[in-house]
Amino acid sequence: MEASGAERALDHLGRPVSWRRTLWTMCAVQAIMMMALSSMNPFLALFIGQLGVHNPHAVDLWAGVVASANFLMSAIMSPVWGSVADKRGKKLMVMRTTLAIALATSLMGLSRNVYELLGIRMLQGAFSGFSASANALVASTIPEERLGFALGWLSTFAMVGSLVGPLLGGVLVDAFHHNYRIVFYLTAAFATTAFFLTWTMIREPKASSHEPKGATRRMGLIGQFKAVRDLRSVQVMFFVLFAAQFSVMSVQPVLPLYIRQLVGRDPQLLGVIGTLSGACFAVTGIADLIFSPFLGKRSDRIGYRKVLSISLVGAALCYIPQALAPNVWVFMLGRFLLGAFIGGILPTANALVGRMTPKEVRGRVYGLTASSTFLGSFGGPLIGGAVSAGFGIRVMLAAVILLYLANFAWVRWKVPEWQEGQNGHAAHTGA
């Protein structure tokens, strides 16, 4: 049995820290939080209607604005919370974000109009950053050689939560006769559960004795950004993460419209377009769930850059049958194949970032990488919807193919492969 340095690490009270306990606890917390965050997706637009917005086009507009505002504020604040994590502790940041989301979700249930709902969503985004905090905590505890494996499992449990959340939200809405406010309160209870689970189960290793005492505390926010700027091998990953998330999110606002277009006048399918849309999202998530841990484990063995390159090219190829789909079934097959490769992009990229970053600055670095993904989540639906409206959905899907290939070219050109013994100065091992 391996006896890693991380397994022998002690917390600030001198108690042993188990990386396995940390990993599986954070996987459970990740699933709970993603379930809580995604459970409101099926009825958010309907709740906006209950708040006094009755024009269908206005409801669509407000739903997009309310959803995007959360991502925008998260992108702005994630680097700030990442730097605080390096100063005050990564466990504390996970607890902060779970509690903040619980409080914000409760306040959403009390909102009286759409403006209050928007303000609360922005507040939630400003105090969130859960994924960055979770990644930083796990990456600071897990043995270096198991980082891809660990982040792959975190991604898997996040996908489980994302799949269960909308289904659970829909069931609760029906069970409580479309009383959306009660669902917000129950969602807040899930986030509160995650808070107590983190508080009682997680032990964070104390700072390394090799780290100069007070170095991080003396460094201001601008100084911390300058320190990250010196990690040139990490900087190139920001575009990788932004483009990957942008590509995934760009299709979401138009997917139901494209399915309606593929269904045509088929009377048997016209009545189940909503179900078909949900199925197209679900098959991507199921494939991600299956392949993400496998790809994460393989990346630890054959190289992060190689797995990342294969995943980006595979994702691009899987958009070809989607763009050319003659019917909804071919499109759904393309969505499933896409999920198999999507599972190898974000976990592998985050693992590579972790390997190239010294442990004492991983909080702020993961804060910046989280901003990249949040910006992709913010810009993808907006730009994807605009391109589809102006040029058609198939053209938008073709543009996504080009974006994946551009991301692949960037990885081969700019992204170094991590080599043993290197942190932040990995040598380029271009193919």
Side-chain angles (χ1 to χ4, degrees):
M1 196 74 176
E2 64 175 311
S4 67
E7 193 71 67
R8 296 192 299 270
L10 303 177
D11 65 8
H12 67 286
L13 295 178
R15 298 173 298 183
V17 175
S18 168
W19 68 263
R20 292 179 177 86
R21 174 173 170 172
T22 299
L23 172 60
W24 299 121
T25 300
M26 288 310 302
C27 282
V29 171
Q30 180 88 297
I32 292 171
M33 290 303 297
M34 294 307 297
M35 182 174 65
L37 290 170
S38 63
S39 63
M40 65 188 74
N41 292 343
F43 63 84
L44 186 60
L46 299 176
F47 183 57
I48 290 172
Q50 281 194 354
L51 292 177
V53 181
H54 302 299
N55 184 294
H57 296 292
V59 170
D60 292 341
L61 177 61
W62 273 110
V65 170
V66 168
S68 298
N70 182 49
F71 291 122
L72 180 60
M73 293 303 299
S74 296
I76 294 171
M77 293 301 298
S78 281
V80 177
W81 293 123
S83 66
V84 174
D86 288 328
K87 291 182 179 181
R88 304 297 182 185
K90 300 169 181 64
K91 174 183 174 179
L92 181 63
M93 288 301 98
V94 174
M95 293 169 60
R96 171 197 57 77
T97 188
T98 53
L99 186 60
I101 289 172
L103 292 173
T105 308
S106 297
L107 290 175
M108 287 183 208
L110 297 173
S111 57
R112 296 166 297 180
N113 54 63
V114 72
Y115 301 102
E116 290 183 358
L117 179 64
L118 175 61
I120 296 168
R121 285 281 291 182
M122 294 179 69
L123 189 66
Q124 181 190 53
F127 284 92
S128 61
F130 171 77
S131 295
S133 301
N135 283 340
L137 176 60
V138 171
S140 299
T141 309
I142 299 296
E144 297 291 292
E145 67 276 7
R146 305 299 295 274
L147 198 53
F149 165 81
L151 294 181
W153 274 111
L154 269 182
S155 177
T156 296
F157 275 78
M159 183 57 63
V160 170
S162 297
L163 289 173
V164 173
L167 177 62
L168 180 63
V171 170
L172 290 174
V173 164
D174 290 337
F176 288 100
H177 307 289
H178 298 93
N179 187 337
Y180 305 119
R181 297 182 187 275
I182 291 180
V183 180
F184 279 118
Y185 303 144
L186 292 175
T187 299
F190 294 137
T192 304
T193 300
F195 169 82
F196 284 108
L197 191 60
T198 304
W199 184 17
T200 57
M201 296 295 293
I202 296 296
R203 295 174 183 172
E204 185 175 3
K206 63 182 179 180
S208 171
S209 59
H210 300 293
E211 182 183 351
K213 292 184 178 181
T216 304
R217 294 180 183 272
R218 288 194 300 267
M219 189 182 296
L221 185 59
I222 295 177
Q224 292 171 17
F225 274 93
K226 289 180 178 178
V228 173
R229 185 184 62 188
D230 293 335
L231 300 174
R232 299 187 182 280
S233 57
V234 174
Q235 293 176 31
V236 299
M237 296 301 297
F238 297 153
F239 174 78
V240 175
L241 292 163
F242 167 79
Q245 191 71 2
F246 185 99
S247 303
V248 170
M249 298 295 290
S250 62
V251 72
Q252 292 203 8
V254 297
L255 189 145
L257 302 176
Y258 189 48
I259 290 176
R260 180 185 299 170
Q261 178 181 323
L262 293 174
V263 166
R265 299 181 180 277
D266 189 329
Q268 293 183 331
L269 298 180
L270 280 174
V272 292
I273 289 178
T275 301
L276 289 173
S277 299
C280 286
F281 279 113
V283 295
T284 305
I286 291 170
D288 190 332
L289 182 64
I290 294 170
F291 289 98
S292 186
F294 168 78
L295 291 171
K297 190 173 183 178
R298 293 292 294 173
S299 69
D300 288 324
R301 296 179 179 177
I302 69 174
Y304 304 103
R305 183 168 173 263
K306 182 178 293 185
V307 171
L308 187 57
S309 300
I310 293 171
S311 299
L312 288 169
V313 172
L317 294 176
C318 290
Y319 268 97
I320 296 176
Q322 295 181 56
L324 301 177
N327 55 58
V328 69
W329 310 116
V330 173
F331 179 73
M332 192 176 295
L333 175 62
R335 295 291 299 175
F336 178 82
L337 296 175
L338 174 67
F341 291 101
I342 289 293
I345 297 177
L346 291 182
T348 303
N350 279 316
L352 181 55
V353 168
R355 297 305 293 269
M356 294 190 298
T357 305
K359 284 189 176 183
E360 62 270 16
V361 296
R362 280 182 182 167
R364 72 191 71 148
V365 168
Y366 275 123
L368 289 170
T369 58
S371 283
S372 300
T373 56
F374 281 132
L375 285 173
S377 296
F378 171 72
L382 294 178
I383 303 300
V387 172
S388 299
F391 302 97
I393 298 175
R394 293 184 189 271
V395 172
M396 187 275 292
L397 293 172
V400 171
I401 295 173
L402 295 177
L403 184 56
Y404 270 113
L405 294 177
N407 204 353
F408 165 75
W410 177 264
V411 168
R412 304 308 298 178
W413 179 39
K414 286 286 189 179
V415 175
E417 180 61 272
W418 183 87
Q419 295 180 355
E420 195 68 38
Q422 296 173 337
N423 275 88
H425 303 285
H428 194 297
T429 57

